[in-house]
Amino acid sequence: MSASEKAETDPLEAFRDEVRAFLAENFDPSLVGKDNVMSSVEGDDEMSPEAARWKTAMGERGWGTPTWPREYGGGGLSRAEAKVLNQEMMRAKAWNPIGGMGVMMLGPTLLEFASEEQKQRHIPPICRGEIRWCQGYSEPGAGSDLASLKCKAEDKGDHYLVNGQKTWTSGGQWADWCFALVRTSTHHKHEGISFLLLDMKTLGVEVRPIRLISGASPFCETFFTDVKVPKENLVGQEGQGWTIGKRLLEHERTNLSGGSRLAGFMGPSVADLAKRYIGTDEEGRIADPDLRTRIIRHDMEARSFMLTAQRVMENAKTGGPTTISSILKNVGTKVQQERAELILEIMGMNGLGWDGEGFAEDELSATRSWLWGKATSIYGGTAEIQNNVIAKRILGMLDHQ
Amino acid sequence: MVTLNEEQTMLRDMARDWAANEAPVSAFRALRDRKAVAGFDRSTFEEMAQMGWTGVIAPESYGGSEFGVLGLGLVLEETGRTLTASPLLSSGLVAVSALMLGGSDAQKERWLPGLASGETIGTLAVDEGPRHDPAKIEAKAEKRGDGFVLSGTKAYVPEGDSADLFIVAARTGEGIGLFLVPGNAEGVSRSARSMVDSRSHAFVQFEGVSLPSDALLGEEDGAALLDKILDRARIGTAAEMLGLCSQAFDMTLDYLKTREQFGEILSRFQALQHRMAHLFTQIELMRSTVEAALVAVDQDRADLPVMASLAKAVANETTHLMSRELIQLHGGIGMTDDYDAGFYLKRARILENAYGNASFHRERFARLSGY
């Protein structure tokens, strides 16, 4: 059977042809490998004309958010079609230009909780990758105990007056909008929290980048002084913020665990690096047997993690993250951190260079990603909080607090 | 949980109900108390055979149902939960696999119907010392006339006390070959070993056993075949361990939710919650590797050896941790013979040693991965 005959009988194959044609027309081969997965938090605004054209094309189709409803600018694809799209993009080495917190976290949450007007207004720009969102959750006094947050939103009739401070605002210095948890009542801890959407250009919003141990400043402190927020920007009901905010965190945890994308982040295998730096014995084994054993343990854990991520994805056929996402985050971050530590150990002093001469580029980037990676078991709910969640929600071990 | 088809789901549910109702841990306790040499109860095994479990992977033409290794893995997991003592793994998985992978039509005709129906009990006899190490095989099969003469000893042969068929690994002129040796052949003798899990792990001697030429399974250089059979044994063992671990975890969680100290239910203590969260995480990871390995067998994937070593190493480590925490978190009551926890600890260590401990499989995993 020829390809066109196949397409006539199988709508998925027809769709595959459509995707191929689209990719051939819009994804310039010069873009291969030019993906910057961290662009949403690193503020990389410079885009080549090819990249800009690719982003526009994907945004128009809604294929950056393939399974979101078409009416809000998503791709409106079935799971089977999205899989085909993914396969064909991988084949062409094309990357998704639509990303960031809007896609990973806010969009799914809005689809679930927002009013029709809010969906119409906020989701399409996310699908086109036009608006950068940042997260206003943590405060100086509210980290793991997020519900003790104090940033307050007073009811002033047609608007809320927001006063307070947020911290660890990812990409706050580049963000256009912020989704924030604010306190609308001091009478109840959890029920006094609401979920607000704020325009970062509003008078009274001030942002200061925080310099991290890695030298980068992906997070900010954000100060709100008498910031007026129209009431139409409240998502859900007043007091429903904790429920909505927690749901959003589940999306965040699923994404932060790396999931199936972990393989893509991994680069050369730790074993190959060890062979290169340390050498092998006459039987081809890594010459340092103690290190070798730890590499094996790490490899096995990484494989187990990827198989688990795969299993969770296969199970979640009906869509939406499940409570098991807490497991993925802890294991995924542990695997990534362990990998960084092993690479550093393998490189020895060469893995501890800060900048300048005497170090290879991959050595310097190993140092920086090692330092940056320490954040992963802290943000989005620390490893300890994840364990609380597992014990409480999955194992039903009652609240100790 | 791996995605199951309708038949697999039915098989698992049937096994779960049967194990819980017909073969609970109290049945194992009774068996232990009566010190049965065979290490299992005949009538219980007959029930399992009647349900078709001994023939789950065997071809239909030999009386099996061809449900695949994943299907049998589900049964092994469920019966592992209640420590059901039976030759299902050694015979229904390992011996049947050996015949399916290496048997001629005549050999299959001779042995598979009996193994699939459960009337014949088969087992693989590989190791000669206390640790799994196929490289150390010294048993010999020397050519004599048309056939072979087999001599040597095999240690800790599972179900060795009752086996009707030994599949014996022995050195030939060409390498390591596998031989089908009837349990009642002249020159075969067995001595029982009393082990912590109260199951059968016999010492078997082969003294100048005369074998016809058609006793050879596959080629005289059968190391690759042996490895394939062993991988199925490793994965099946890991499936049993998955059931054992899951049950040990559930028992511990139940206990923590009922035991009170300092006026509080133990499960309210965060120090214990985090240990349980960790165990839960490790068991989920173990489940992923075991299920993936079972599926890899049915798909006959090229990376099956890596998957087998991954699954067995992870299963060993997790089972080790879980069985130790099982005792510790139960406190004093876990140390008493009246309580079931000890049975799980004892069986755990036996299974950890079976077909390769964690360090054996880490080494194999690394070599297969090229480092």
Side-chain angles (χ1 to χ4, degrees):
Chain A
M1 196 162 40
S2 75
S4 59
E5 279 170 334
K6 229 170 137 188
E8 274 169 36
T9 52
D10 185 349
L12 268 188
E13 288 309 310
F15 179 69
R16 190 182 297 279
D17 290 345
E18 186 188 339
V19 173
R20 283 185 189 173
F22 171 82
L23 286 168
E25 192 180 332
N26 295 293
F27 186 75
D28 193 282
S30 69
L31 294 171
V32 169
K34 300 279 173 60
D35 185 17
N36 181 357
V37 287
M38 297 303 283
S39 65
S40 62
V41 285
E42 284 175 356
D44 178 11
D45 253 330
E46 287 169 38
M47 227 191 285
S48 66
E50 291 80 17
R53 200 163 62 86
W54 169 233
K55 185 174 168 181
T56 308
M58 281 290 276
E60 273 171 8
R61 287 274 186 143
W63 283 359
T65 48
T67 57
W68 294 14
R70 190 70 202 124
E71 53 182 318
Y72 306 123
L77 302 185
S78 68
R79 286 196 158 255
E81 287 168 331
K83 199 172 162 187
V84 168
L85 173 63
N86 193 25
Q87 285 165 351
E88 290 305 317
M89 282 177 64
M90 273 167 63
R91 237 166 61 103
K93 298 195 174 65
W95 37 269
N96 188 349
I98 312 289
M101 300 209 158
V103 173
M104 289 198 313
M105 299 176 226
L106 182 63
T109 311
L110 288 180
L111 283 170
E112 197 173 338
F113 293 100
S115 68
E116 187 55 32
E117 291 74 21
Q118 288 169 334
K119 288 184 199 170
Q120 292 289 357
R121 178 177 173 193
H122 293 290
I123 298 178
I126 294 176
C127 297
R128 293 191 299 265
E130 288 170 359
I131 299 287
R132 280 174 202 239
W133 284 87
C134 66
Q135 181 184 40
Y137 271 34
S138 296
E139 296 179 10
S144 284
D145 181 14
L146 184 60
S148 69
L149 59 91
K150 291 198 175 70
C151 181
K152 99 185 146 178
E154 286 172 273
D155 189 338
K156 296 288 182 188
D158 66 333
H159 68 273
Y160 289 104
L161 195 65
V162 178
N163 276 289
Q165 183 191 345
K166 290 288 172 187
T167 191
W168 305 123
T169 324
S170 319
Q173 65 269 57
W174 304 292
D176 305 299
W177 278 73
C178 174
F179 53 91
L181 292 180
V182 293
R183 183 155 295 288
T184 42
S185 158
T186 49
H187 299 301
H188 308 280
K189 187 174 175 181
H190 295 88
E191 294 79 20
I193 295 171
S194 299
F195 194 97
L196 268 191
L197 308 176
L198 292 114
D199 185 339
M200 292 294 276
K201 286 185 292 294
T202 321
L203 197 67
V205 179
E206 196 197 331
V207 175
R208 290 183 209 151
I210 304 168
R211 192 172 151 88
L212 295 184
I213 54 175
S214 62
S217 298
F219 301 110
C220 296
E221 293 179 287
T222 308
F223 299 88
F224 300 99
T225 312
D226 290 335
V227 176
K228 286 184 181 175
V229 179
K231 279 220 167 145
E232 68 202 39
N233 289 358
L234 174 75
V235 177
Q237 305 296 312
E238 216 175 80
Q240 206 191 349
W242 185 248
T243 306
I244 300 172
K246 267 199 310 190
R247 182 77 181 137
L248 183 138
L249 280 180
E250 286 179 26
H251 293 292
E252 179 180 16
R253 284 163 191 168
T254 308
N255 282 300
L256 291 181
S257 70
S260 60
R261 298 183 70 182
L262 186 73
F265 281 114
M266 289 203 118
S269 83
V270 179
D272 284 346
L273 278 176
K275 281 198 208 167
R276 203 167 87 205
Y277 276 80
I278 294 159
T280 52
D281 66 11
E282 65 283 354
E283 287 187 58
R285 293 175 299 195
I286 295 164
D288 176 344
D290 179 280
L291 172 68
R292 176 172 177 261
T293 302
R294 284 179 290 124
I295 291 175
I296 300 168
R297 285 178 181 274
H298 165 70
D299 267 1
M300 288 189 158
E301 189 160 43
R303 292 280 291 256
S304 309
F305 167 70
M306 280 188 276
L307 289 168
T308 306
Q310 211 176 313
R311 182 158 70 90
V312 169
M313 271 188 292
E314 278 166 18
N315 285 358
K317 277 199 174 130
T318 43
T322 61
T323 38
I324 214 157
S325 60
S326 291
I327 294 169
L328 288 184
K329 198 214 163 207
N330 268 2
V331 181
T333 54
K334 187 170 161 243
V335 168
Q336 281 171 308
Q337 291 180 351
E338 183 62 21
R339 173 182 160 81
E341 293 285 3
L342 283 169
I343 290 175
L344 226 63
E345 181 182 336
I346 289 165
M347 292 177 169
M349 291 297 238
N350 282 13
L352 292 165
W354 186 253
D355 59 19
E357 276 180 41
F359 307 101
E361 203 177 307
D362 62 338
E363 289 169 344
L364 289 174
S365 79
T367 314
R368 301 299 173 115
S369 35
W370 162 65
L371 289 167
W372 159 250
K374 296 297 172 210
T376 59
S377 54
I378 299 168
Y379 65 35
T382 62
E384 290 71 25
I385 291 293
Q386 305 299 338
N387 280 337
N388 283 351
V389 171
I390 295 169
K392 245 165 72 178
R393 277 201 240 156
I394 305 180
L395 305 181
M397 294 181 80
L398 311 177
D399 199 343
H400 61 276
Q401 283 150 342
Chain B
M1 197 64 232
V2 69
T3 312
L4 302 179
N5 65 30
E6 206 176 314
E7 285 165 342
Q8 289 161 340
T9 308
M10 275 174 58
L11 187 58
R12 185 203 54 202
D13 293 348
M14 185 167 90
R16 183 171 293 176
D17 289 347
W18 180 84
N21 299 316
E22 309 301 326
V25 189
S26 57
F28 171 74
R29 179 179 289 278
L31 182 80
R32 195 265 321 240
D33 290 345
R34 56 168 204 276
K35 298 187 171 69
V37 171
F40 67 96
D41 181 69
R42 283 274 171 188
S43 61
T44 305
F45 187 53
E46 272 164 29
E47 273 183 54
M48 296 168 85
Q50 271 159 22
M51 288 183 287
W53 296 350
T54 42
V56 168
I57 67 166
E60 283 182 14
S61 49
Y62 297 105
S65 53
E66 281 179 55
F67 273 6
V69 170
L70 175 60
L72 185 52
L74 298 169
V75 177
L76 289 169
E77 179 187 338
E78 295 304 329
T79 51
R81 273 183 168 270
T82 59
L83 303 177
T84 304
S86 91
L88 183 60
L89 194 150
S90 299
S91 194
L93 175 63
V94 184
V96 171
S97 292
L99 267 304
M100 283 170 66
L101 290 165
S104 65
D105 286 345
Q107 286 168 332
K108 288 179 185 168
E109 196 58 54
R110 165 74 183 86
W111 293 108
L112 273 179
L115 291 169
S117 72
E119 280 156 45
T120 304
I121 292 170
T123 190
L124 184 67
V126 180
D127 291 314
E128 299 173 7
R131 294 160 71 91
H132 174 65
D133 194 351
K136 287 196 173 149
I137 292 170
E138 286 179 6
K140 275 200 187 84
E142 283 169 308
K143 270 217 163 114
R144 189 169 303 169
D146 264 358
F148 299 87
V149 176
L150 175 70
S151 355
T153 59
K154 294 288 169 185
Y156 306 108
V157 179
E159 318 303 344
D161 292 291
S162 59
D164 306 302
L165 168 67
F166 291 101
I167 300 161
V168 184
R171 298 212 171 265
T172 65
E174 311 284 322
I176 290 181
L178 290 166
F179 295 88
L180 301 165
V181 183
N184 58 9
E186 201 172 324
V188 177
S189 61
R190 27 189 140 193
S191 321
R193 291 285 180 268
S194 173
M195 306 283 288
V196 290
D197 68 345
S198 308
R199 299 280 297 270
S200 164
H201 307 277
F203 180 80
V204 186
Q205 257 181 307
F206 301 92
E207 286 173 295
V209 181
S210 290
L211 298 170
S213 63
D214 65 2
L216 177 68
L217 187 74
E219 309 288 318
E220 277 189 58
D221 178 10
L225 173 63
L226 174 61
D227 225 26
K228 281 186 170 185
I229 301 165
L230 282 172
D231 276 340
R232 280 148 179 86
R234 288 157 180 155
I235 294 167
T237 306
E240 180 178 340
M241 296 169 95
L242 180 59
L244 184 152
C245 265
S246 305
Q247 185 62 26
F249 180 86
D250 290 351
M251 282 165 70
T252 308
L253 186 59
D254 284 348
Y255 181 74
L256 295 180
K257 285 178 178 177
T258 47
R259 170 79 171 165
E260 263 186 53
Q261 287 287 278
F262 305 104
E264 288 250 47
I265 298 270
L266 288 187
S267 69
R268 282 180 179 271
F269 292 101
Q270 196 180 25
L272 304 182
Q273 292 180 344
H274 283 199
R275 276 161 76 178
M276 292 303 282
H278 178 63
L279 288 168
F280 177 77
T281 304
Q282 296 308 112
I283 294 173
E284 286 297 321
L285 293 174
M286 171 184 177
R287 176 173 292 284
S288 305
T289 64
V290 173
E291 289 179 350
L294 290 165
V295 170
V297 179
D298 286 332
Q299 292 176 348
D300 198 19
R301 277 173 39 174
D303 64 348
L304 175 57
V306 177
M307 297 300 286
S309 278
L310 175 69
K312 187 61 169 48
V314 170
N316 282 352
E317 295 262 310
T318 310
T319 306
H320 193 86
L321 175 71
M322 184 64 240
S323 57
R324 291 178 71 164
E325 290 285 66
L326 167 72
I327 300 295
Q328 180 63 25
L329 291 170
H330 274 85
I333 195 165
M335 293 293 297
T336 63
D337 187 70
D338 274 348
Y339 208 78
D340 293 337
F343 292 156
Y344 285 80
L345 173 71
K346 292 166 181 170
R347 181 65 177 161
R349 289 301 174 279
I350 294 276
L351 294 172
E352 283 167 52
N353 272 286
Y355 306 113
N357 63 18
S359 83
F360 176 94
H361 285 292
R362 275 195 290 269
E363 180 63 29
R364 185 168 181 259
F365 176 90
R367 283 176 183 268
L368 290 168
S369 307
Y371 63 92

